[in-house]
């Protein structure tokens, strides 16, 4: 059964304090791993797609990396505006581009 | 482009009442999805559609029905609302082929009392 687990549940950082969020997955043949950002009261916003181990994607202070069992979202020198919930998802078996989501990591960056 | 829009944004129902949530997308996407989001549980797929006139069950379909009469619209119905259906509902769409990320609407917060 496809499964996604994110850790930690919540993370508090000081502005400028770099850290990483973890997404571990179990899937029969990875066909895409996705990172989303969700602000309070809003829908998830697409950030990255990764397809194969060793792949990396970057956007501003965020970098996503992928291994055969997990993905990391590295946040370098975060700012308060990076505060959000970050969601990880894998493309599920069975077609139709269905996604299986983790429960998310709530990130709070304090000045 | 507005992307994915949802109406209404908020709704309060009494147990046993019915309602329909509307999702519209202007990206000409083939696939559309309905999710619910509950604290600590992540997004769970309710129903999805792979094209106009088609629908299929997702992970948690009980108590919901859907229809996709037009390619750009995907409706989610609750025939007899229950307190367990209190949640935030999100619609998403995907191009279908060659592009696998889903794009989400702003959500509908539903409370059933």
């Amino acid at each position: 059964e496809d499964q996604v687990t994110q850790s930690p549940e919540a993370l508090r950082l000081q502005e400028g304090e770099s850290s990483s969020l973890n997404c571990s997955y179990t899937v029969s043949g990875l066909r895409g791993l996705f990172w989303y950002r969700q602000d309070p009261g809003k829908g998830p916003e697409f950030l990255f797609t990764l397809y194969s181990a060793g792949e990396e994607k970057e956007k501003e202070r965020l970098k996503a990396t992928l291994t055969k069992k997990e993905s990391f979202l590295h946040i370098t020198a975060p700012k308060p505006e990076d505060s959000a919930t970050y969601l990880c998802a894998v493309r599920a078996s069975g077609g139709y581009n269905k996604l299986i989501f983790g429960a998310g990591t709530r990130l709070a960056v304090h000045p | 482009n507005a992307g994915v829009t949802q109406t209404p944004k908020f709704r309060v129902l009494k147990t046993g009442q019915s309602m329909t949530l509307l999702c519209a997308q202007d990206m000409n996407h083939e696939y559309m999805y309905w999710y619910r989001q509950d604290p600590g549980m992540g997004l769970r797929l309710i129903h999805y559609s792979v094209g106009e006139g088609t629908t299929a069950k997702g992970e948690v379909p009980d108590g919901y029905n859907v229809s996709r009469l037009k390619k750009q619209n995907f409706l989610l119905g609750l025939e007899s609302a229950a307190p367990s259906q209190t949640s935030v509902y999100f619609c998403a769409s995907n191009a279908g082929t060659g592009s696998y990320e889903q794009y989400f609407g702003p959500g509908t917060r539903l409370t059933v009392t």
Side-chain angles (χ1 to χ4, degrees):
Chain A
E1 182 183 344
D2 300 337
Q3 195 168 356
V4 177
T5 304
Q6 291 187 246
S7 61
E9 280 188 28
L11 181 63
R12 178 189 169 114
L13 298 174
Q14 289 298 123
E15 185 172 2
E17 178 188 3
S18 301
S19 189
S20 297
L21 312 182
N22 178 264
C23 171
S24 62
Y25 62 88
T26 304
V27 63
S28 52
L30 182 66
R31 302 181 303 146
L33 184 140
F34 304 81
W35 282 99
Y36 286 82
R37 170 189 171 128
Q38 186 175 22
D39 292 304
K42 298 195 175 180
E45 175 188 348
F46 170 71
L47 292 174
F48 305 111
T49 309
L50 302 166
Y51 288 105
S52 55
E55 189 175 358
E56 298 182 353
K57 293 270 180 78
E58 283 189 69
K59 180 179 180 179
E60 295 180 0
R61 294 176 293 282
L62 301 177
K63 182 168 81 172
T65 62
L66 182 64
T67 73
K68 288 186 178 179
K69 293 186 177 180
E70 56 193 348
S71 176
F72 293 93
L73 186 65
H74 307 278
I75 304 176
T76 302
K79 298 182 177 182
E81 53 262 43
D82 294 322
S83 298
T85 296
Y86 291 87
L87 303 174
C88 172
V90 295
R91 194 164 155 231
S93 313
Y96 307 122
N97 299 338
K98 291 182 288 184
L99 299 182
I100 304 295
F101 282 85
T105 294
R106 291 190 315 278
L107 173 66
V109 182
H110 296 268
Chain B
N1 286 356
V4 180
T5 58
Q6 294 182 234
T7 52
K9 287 186 167 45
F10 303 93
R11 186 73 186 268
V12 178
L13 288 179
K14 294 186 188 300
T15 298
Q17 288 184 321
S18 63
M19 78 164 293
T20 300
L21 283 67
L22 171 63
C23 174
Q25 53 95 3
D26 62 1
M27 297 175 282
N28 201 34
H29 282 174
E30 286 295 331
Y31 296 176
M32 296 185 74
Y33 311 83
W34 275 108
Y35 293 89
R36 59 177 291 171
Q37 187 174 42
D38 302 292
M41 298 193 70
L43 288 154
R44 292 182 292 167
L45 184 64
I46 304 171
H47 285 281
Y48 63 98
S49 167
V50 299
E52 183 178 310
T54 74
T55 63
K57 293 180 180 179
E59 182 186 357
V60 288
D62 294 342
Y64 306 95
N65 56 75
V66 288
S67 64
R68 183 121 181 251
L69 299 179
K70 294 183 178 181
K71 185 177 182 178
Q72 64 268 33
N73 295 337
F74 195 27
L75 278 62
L76 178 71
L78 286 72
E79 289 185 345
S80 179
S84 60
Q85 294 177 304
T86 293
S87 188
V88 182
Y89 292 86
F90 289 101
C91 176
S93 72
N94 165 256
T97 55
S99 172
Y100 307 117
E101 63 270 14
Q102 295 180 12
Y103 294 91
F104 284 80
T108 295
R109 182 173 293 276
L110 174 66
T111 302
V112 183
T113 61

